[in-house]
């Protein structure tokens, strides 16, 4: 008996759903392995992602054979493979991060003689695209490619404040804000109030909210339509930043001028 149109449609829907689930699992695996720089074995992946053993075996084989994962033949530990690195490099090339943005960030660093950073928003994290260290002995925990919780940083608060109100609420739904220091914002109502202030003033500050003793101030980088596509910041020890209340003014003119120069370079992110 030939299958009915309804039966064929049901089979096609089931197949599509299976493909979508496999794609989601592949992305979860890559994300997990990328966070384990020392590697993680199949058992660790299975437990962390709660995946069926049979499905995981096939996905790991495909990812390894295609070069997106590397598996150590002795320890059977998985690490990010060369192909994944190549994809990341292609992203950096397409956005002209190194060639075009680097000189602008270095000029800002030289003008302020402080560490400067550029970041974009991914979910509720700010991801660092560029960083130029000052000549001072201070070294930040951030680095290109790293991500930090957006509610703990000046960069992140600028980026969160740039989201439409409904999108911001959606991202915060069901989320617990992790506290890292006594100054970290741990309450969503307080965070929303702080973000309203960021929109009003056009900049955000962070005084020891992720790293004790560190002060940061950040401003948005906007597209031609006015959307916030990135944020640029200056970081310095709190003691060197000056008295609370007016210290942001020491850095804002240079930061805003830099944001203006970065805006056309960030057009592909718009």
């Amino acid at each position: 008996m030939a299958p009915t149109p309804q039966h064929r449609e049901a089979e096609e829907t089931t197949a599509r759903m299976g493909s979508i689930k496999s794609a989601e699992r592949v992305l979860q695996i890559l994300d997990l392995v990328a966070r384990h720089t020392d590697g993680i074995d199949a058992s660790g992946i299975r437990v962390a992602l709660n995946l069926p053993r049979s499905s995981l075996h096939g996905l790991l084989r495909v990812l390894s054979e295609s070069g997106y994962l590397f598996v150590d033949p002795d320890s059977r530990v998985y690490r990010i493979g060369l192909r994944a690195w190549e994809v990341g490099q292609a992203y950096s090339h397409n956005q002209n991060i190194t060639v075009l943005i680097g000189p602008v960030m270095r000029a800002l660093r030289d003008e302020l003689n402080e560490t400067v950073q550029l970041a974009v928003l991914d979910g509720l994290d700010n991801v660092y695209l560029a960083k130029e260290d000052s000549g001072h002995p201070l070294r930040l925990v951030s680095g290109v490619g790293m991500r930090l919780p957006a509610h703990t940083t000046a960069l992140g608060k600028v980026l969160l404040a740039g989201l439409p109100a409904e999108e911001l609420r959606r991202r915060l739904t069901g989320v617990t804000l992790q506290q890292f220091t006594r100054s970290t914002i741990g309450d969503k109502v307080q965070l929303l109030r702080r973000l309203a202030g960021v929109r009003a003033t056009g900049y955000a500050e962070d005084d020891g909210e992720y790293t004790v003793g560190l002060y940061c101030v950040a401003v948005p980088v906007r597209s031609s339509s006015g959307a916030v596509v990135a944020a640029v910041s200056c970081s310095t020890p709190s003691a060197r930043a000056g008295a609370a209340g007016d210290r942001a003014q020491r850095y804002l003119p240079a930061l805003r001028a830099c944001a203006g120069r970065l805006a056309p370079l960030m057009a592909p992110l718009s």
Side-chain angles (χ1 to χ4, degrees):
M1 181 177 180
T4 65
Q6 292 83 359
H7 181 70
R8 285 196 297 270
E9 182 178 354
E11 288 182 337
E12 291 172 358
T13 300
T14 301
R16 283 197 301 271
M17 294 304 295
S19 298
I20 291 171
K21 181 173 290 187
S22 294
E24 290 174 341
R25 287 173 172 172
V26 164
L27 294 175
Q28 290 172 345
I29 291 169
L30 288 172
D31 186 59
L32 178 69
V33 175
R35 295 199 303 269
H36 286 75
T37 54
D38 293 331
I40 181 172
D41 61 17
S43 177
I45 296 172
R46 181 172 57 83
V47 171
L49 300 179
N50 192 28
L51 296 179
R53 191 188 303 272
S54 57
S55 300
L56 178 62
H57 177 75
L59 294 173
L60 290 176
R61 178 178 55 79
V62 171
L63 285 168
S64 300
E65 290 178 352
S66 60
Y68 283 89
L69 290 182
F70 167 78
V71 57
D72 187 294
D74 297 322
S75 65
R76 306 303 299 172
V77 162
Y78 289 86
R79 296 182 177 86
I80 286 294
L82 179 61
R83 182 60 184 143
W85 178 84
E86 290 173 341
V87 170
Q89 289 298 104
Y91 173 85
S92 295
H93 175 73
N94 289 338
Q95 305 306 326
N96 295 314
I97 295 299
T98 302
V99 175
L100 297 177
I101 291 175
V104 178
M105 295 296 290
R106 286 191 288 275
L108 177 65
R109 184 268 318 273
D110 293 343
E111 180 178 356
L112 295 176
N113 195 24
E114 299 291 357
T115 297
V116 298
Q117 301 168 105
L118 178 73
V120 294
L121 189 66
D122 182 24
L124 289 174
D125 293 336
N126 52 264
V127 181
Y128 293 90
L129 297 184
K131 177 188 178 186
E132 295 294 336
D133 286 306
S134 73
H136 298 296
L138 171 71
R139 288 293 181 267
L140 307 185
V141 295
S142 63
V144 174
M146 279 187 62
R147 56 177 64 219
L148 291 179
H151 71 283
T152 69
T153 69
L155 285 165
K157 286 194 278 287
V158 165
L159 295 167
L160 291 174
L163 290 174
E166 286 304 313
E167 175 61 17
L168 176 61
R169 290 192 179 91
R170 185 190 70 79
R171 296 193 191 193
L172 289 173
T173 299
V175 171
T176 299
L177 300 179
Q178 186 176 357
Q179 290 195 266
F180 296 87
T181 74
R182 294 178 60 183
S183 301
T184 306
I185 299 173
D187 176 75
K188 281 186 274 190
V189 173
Q190 182 186 359
L191 176 62
L192 292 173
R193 190 159 47 241
R194 182 79 67 85
L195 296 181
V198 172
R199 294 187 202 99
T201 61
Y203 69 91
E205 297 176 280
D206 152 27
D207 193 359
E209 294 175 41
Y210 187 83
T211 302
V212 174
L214 184 69
Y215 170 78
C216 299
V217 57
V219 301
V221 177
R222 297 183 181 274
S223 67
S224 57
S225 66
V228 175
V229 295
V232 60
S233 74
C234 169
S235 300
T236 182
S238 299
R240 194 162 65 231
D246 61 353
R247 55 188 172 185
Q249 304 308 317
R250 295 177 52 186
Y251 310 102
L252 286 175
L255 282 169
R256 285 172 171 153
C258 179
R261 291 190 291 270
L262 287 168
L265 307 180
M266 305 298 291
L269 295 180
S270 303

